[in-house]
Amino acid sequence: MTELMKIQTFIQAFAQAIASILESDVTVVDCELIRVAGTGNYAVEIGDTVSHGRFVNQILTTGQSGIIQNVAEDIHCQDCEKRSYCKELANLAYPIFKDKAVVGVISIIAFEEKQRDTLLKNRAQLEEFLKYMCTLLE
């Protein structure tokens, strides 16, 4: 069991709180690509392996935040099994650290055009917000 799965109940409540403030969905994936928490469309996928592992793997490997501005055009989405029916419009992801090792990724997901516009317009502030939220998880 991964470090994040050990505190899954807390992380789910944490994700729900963030989602309600940001009015966008939030998901948390651990280092084994298992969805630890999710809101909205991803609430039913908790415990499942994520299909868009390429993007999440990049965050896990580099320890750097990342963004998919347009799912239809992003290179990370080209090989995804859900690409033809994906409802995501944009995805802002930030690594979660424990003892300087990346143990997971938290993402803000836009499923509506208004959410996507807000995400892209406020990217720097939202990354900073996620940074502090991840510090709380540490």
Side-chain angles (χ1 to χ4, degrees):
M1 181 179 288
T2 64
E3 295 297 321
L4 295 181
M5 272 301 188
K6 290 177 184 175
I7 58 170
Q8 189 277 329
T9 304
F10 173 78
I11 292 177
Q12 178 62 30
F14 191 77
Q16 289 172 312
I18 293 170
S20 69
I21 292 167
L22 298 181
E23 297 180 350
S24 288
D25 286 316
V26 173
T27 189
V28 176
V29 176
D30 69 15
C31 57
E32 294 179 0
L33 298 179
I34 305 296
R35 192 174 313 280
V36 176
T39 65
N41 292 338
Y42 289 130
V44 296
E45 295 184 16
I46 295 169
D48 294 348
T49 301
V50 297
S51 60
H52 51 285
R54 188 173 176 188
F55 177 60
V56 175
N57 265 328
Q58 176 186 321
I59 309 300
L60 290 168
T61 303
T62 66
Q64 300 289 319
S65 61
I67 190 165
I68 294 176
Q69 296 184 28
N70 184 336
V71 170
E73 299 174 359
D74 196 278
I75 190 167
H76 294 99
C77 302
Q78 288 178 351
D79 299 327
C80 181
E81 63 188 48
K82 290 185 174 182
R83 185 169 187 203
S84 63
Y85 58 92
C86 183
K87 295 179 182 176
E88 284 187 24
L89 299 179
N91 182 333
L92 176 64
Y94 200 88
I96 301 169
F97 293 91
K98 181 176 185 205
D99 299 326
K100 298 186 182 182
V102 182
V103 295
V105 175
I106 186 169
S107 296
I108 302 169
I109 313 291
F111 287 103
E112 299 171 9
E113 201 58 50
K114 181 181 175 187
Q115 293 171 329
R116 182 181 177 275
D117 292 343
T118 300
L119 185 73
L120 297 179
K121 184 176 117 188
N122 300 314
R123 177 184 176 180
Q125 294 94 330
L126 290 170
E127 274 189 64
E128 191 71 9
F129 177 73
L130 287 179
K131 173 183 169 184
Y132 289 113
M133 294 297 99
C134 290
T135 300
L136 290 174
L137 285 177
E138 287 179 45

